Amino acid sequence: MASSSPYPTHSTVPEGGDGRRPAHWWQRRWVRYGASSTLLALSGLVILALVREQTGTEGFLVGLGLAVLPVPLLIAAFRWLDRVEPGPWRNLLFSFAWGACAAALIAIVANSFATRWIETATADPTSADTLGATVIAPVVEESAKAAAVLLVFLFRRRDFTGILDGVVIAGVTATGFAFTENILYLGNAFGTDQLSGEYGIASVTAATFFVRVVMSPFAHPLFTVLTGIGFGIAALSADRQRIRKVLLPLVGLLLAMGMHALWNGSSVFGDYGFFAVYASFMVPAFGLLTWLVVWTRQRELRTVREELPAYVLAGWLLPHEPFVLGSMKDRREAREFARRHGGRPAGREVAAYEAYATSLAFLRRRGRRGRAGADFVVRERELLAELWNRRETARPALAHAATVAAPLPTPWPPYGHCPAQYGQVTTPYDPFTAPYGQAAPPYGQVAPQYGQVPSPYGQFTAPYGQADPYPVHNPYRT
């Protein structure tokens, strides 16, 4: 049995994982961050000028006010899916900004150029518009949105570990793209109403708002999520399965283009073509994908419960922690307990502990299936170090959540013992309750039992005269 040092330490290996500095200047982190920020900022300025030029100032403001309404709901839905293993906010900000700025700019420029070229070649403006909407737009827009998923997949690989990560990144990117597109459509509709004098429910603005914001706010996320699922399945593949890691994202992208083309071409099917496609295809597809991502979320929680017990046997975790960490209800109870007794910093520490434990479970699953990367050992030690450094704050909260989830029954008082009188509280055994005659310890400190000495914040100490047992080996390298 191979063993590691008794206490986990933070790895000093940089992002490359091989202990060397980046070979080229463009591989440095500050260069990548600076380049992406500059690109997104310039794209945002250009797309702002283009949309304002097409809609006018008033149309832009009206479109902005109406287009922003579904954004918080969609972002909240994708964040809810990402609660099992929350990704960093910077990935979501990059994805939304890419969709709203870079992808929208690419789509506007490429669609306009392609439509004009087809119109010039065929001398038929009607056919050019139809072909542009049903063929050119799906290919250009889905490719532009897929670029954000590809960039996160390549450069933030540690944050991209499965299907839900692909769904969240793709969905947030598409939400940003739909936000900018809705500004353009609603702003143009407002300008049309100003010219025709239509107002109220009968206006073009109201009809556009109903179709794009009320009925189909999930349309663009639904398309791009197919691409995200392809990247998510590729992330679960082993490094040696290179063909699979290339083909799966391409299959997802083609499916996204096909669904997008069907949606845009629904108007070709007659006056009721839109409603027919919406009811017979879009709604069932939305329901099926919703079921898939929720099932995947439950599967990830089951992975946590199945993989973490190995670290319990090695001494890194306590016996109840895999079951608490495998339940979203118990995890929320632990965070709330920490916030009530230790404030918001304690709640954030417990949330980080839960996230690192989940990442550790996923890493072990990939390693057990032979799909771990070359940095498996380094990454595992980093995650174990993060858990160990937060154990003093997290363990009391997780133990409380375990007690709430499965409380021990209160024993019946023996014969001759009077039950509690009015105003007294009887509680089951709680390891955080002080012995009789002693004051309750503060949050994070465990009341000592017989033969034990009081421990610092949140530590479980061994009986008097014995040293605390440290984890002596990595549970995977056995």
Side-chain angles (χ1 to χ4, degrees):
M1 176 178 65
S3 62
S4 61
S5 59
Y7 189 81
T9 58
H10 285 282
S11 172
T12 58
V13 178
E15 197 171 0
D18 56 0
R20 296 176 298 177
R21 296 180 61 86
H24 305 286
W25 61 269
W26 62 80
Q27 295 178 340
R28 297 175 181 175
R29 180 176 298 180
W30 67 269
V31 174
R32 297 203 304 263
Y33 285 166
S36 60
S37 300
T38 303
L39 174 63
L40 293 176
L42 292 177
S43 300
L45 293 176
V46 174
I47 195 67
L48 176 64
L50 290 177
V51 173
R52 184 177 175 275
E53 180 182 0
Q54 294 189 29
T55 62
T57 303
E58 293 185 5
F60 174 78
L61 294 176
V62 171
L64 177 64
L66 296 178
V68 77
L69 294 179
V71 172
L73 298 178
L74 293 172
I75 296 295
F78 288 114
R79 285 293 293 174
W80 177 83
L81 291 175
D82 202 32
R83 290 297 297 173
V84 177
E85 188 188 16
W89 270 101
R90 59 179 176 270
N91 291 349
L92 301 184
L93 290 176
F94 167 79
S95 302
F96 186 86
W98 181 275
C101 301
L105 178 61
I106 294 172
I108 289 179
V109 174
N111 289 341
S112 299
F113 174 79
T115 302
R116 291 176 182 176
W117 181 81
I118 295 174
E119 181 179 350
T120 302
T122 61
D124 188 355
T126 303
S127 299
D129 291 339
T130 302
L131 188 61
T134 57
V135 178
I136 303 300
V139 174
V140 171
E141 294 176 6
E142 294 306 322
S143 299
K145 289 182 288 183
V149 188
L150 176 63
L151 290 174
V152 176
F153 182 82
L154 293 178
F155 296 104
R156 303 295 301 178
R157 189 65 182 84
R158 286 187 173 182
D159 302 329
F160 206 121
T161 59
I163 295 176
L164 283 186
D165 294 316
V167 169
V168 171
I169 296 299
V172 173
T173 303
T175 300
F177 182 88
F179 169 66
T180 301
E181 191 178 63
N182 285 340
I183 295 176
L184 181 61
Y185 277 88
L186 291 167
N188 287 334
F190 180 78
T192 302
D193 289 333
Q194 282 188 318
L195 294 176
S196 62
E198 295 288 343
Y199 297 98
I201 299 178
S203 64
V204 179
T205 303
T208 305
F209 178 81
F210 179 75
V211 171
R212 298 190 63 88
V213 178
V214 177
M215 288 189 65
S216 58
F218 57 85
H220 273 287
L222 181 62
F223 307 147
T224 314
V225 157
L226 295 175
T227 304
I229 291 176
F231 276 99
I233 300 176
L236 296 174
S237 305
D239 291 340
R240 62 180 181 273
Q241 298 174 323
R242 297 183 179 180
I243 297 179
R244 180 179 178 181
K245 298 181 74 170
V246 173
L247 290 181
L248 287 173
L250 290 178
V251 171
L253 178 60
L254 292 176
L255 291 175
M257 292 177 180
M259 184 179 290
H260 196 160
L262 179 63
W263 174 254
N264 286 0
S266 60
S267 59
V268 182
F269 302 147
D271 296 337
Y272 299 98
F274 168 79
F275 297 101
V277 172
Y278 183 85
S280 63
F281 186 78
M282 294 295 292
V283 172
F286 176 76
L288 179 62
L289 286 178
T290 302
W291 172 85
L292 176 62
V293 296
V294 172
W295 175 82
T296 304
R297 189 174 188 259
Q298 296 300 319
R299 181 173 174 267
E300 291 189 347
L301 290 173
R302 187 170 64 251
T303 299
V304 173
R305 294 191 296 268
E306 293 174 352
E307 298 295 343
L308 290 184
Y311 297 95
V312 174
L313 297 177
W316 294 97
L317 303 177
L318 296 180
H320 59 269
E321 292 187 22
F323 304 98
V324 175
L325 295 170
S327 168
M328 296 304 297
K329 178 181 178 182
D330 295 344
R331 291 167 70 153
R332 182 172 60 252
E333 178 66 31
R335 293 193 301 270
E336 292 176 354
F337 179 84
R339 280 194 293 266
R340 288 196 304 268
H341 294 81
R344 290 187 177 181
R348 288 193 293 267
E349 286 291 290
V350 173
Y353 188 93
E354 295 170 349
Y356 284 121
T358 305
S359 299
L360 182 63
F362 293 166
L363 180 68
R364 176 174 169 80
R365 181 186 62 179
R366 292 196 300 273
R368 188 167 52 82
R369 295 181 177 180
R371 299 175 180 175
D375 63 339
F376 171 82
V377 175
V378 174
R379 181 58 175 163
E380 184 186 42
R381 291 181 62 82
E382 290 177 352
L383 294 173
L384 289 172
E386 297 291 349
L387 293 179
W388 193 261
N389 292 335
R390 290 170 172 81
R391 72 191 188 283
E392 297 180 359
T393 306
R395 283 182 173 179
L398 296 174
H400 169 78
T403 304
V404 172
L408 296 176
T410 304
W412 188 263
Y415 178 76
H417 179 77
C418 297
Q421 304 298 322
Y422 178 77
Q424 298 181 359
V425 179
T426 59
T427 58
Y429 169 75
D430 187 350
F432 305 101
T433 303
Y436 178 77
Q438 299 183 14
Y443 171 72
Q445 184 170 338
V446 182
Q449 307 299 321
Y450 179 77
Q452 295 182 351
V453 295
S455 59
Y457 184 75
Q459 291 184 0
F460 292 77
T461 58
Y464 180 75
Q466 299 181 15
D468 283 340
Y470 284 106
V472 295
H473 71 281
N474 188 310
Y476 189 77
R477 301 196 304 274
T478 57

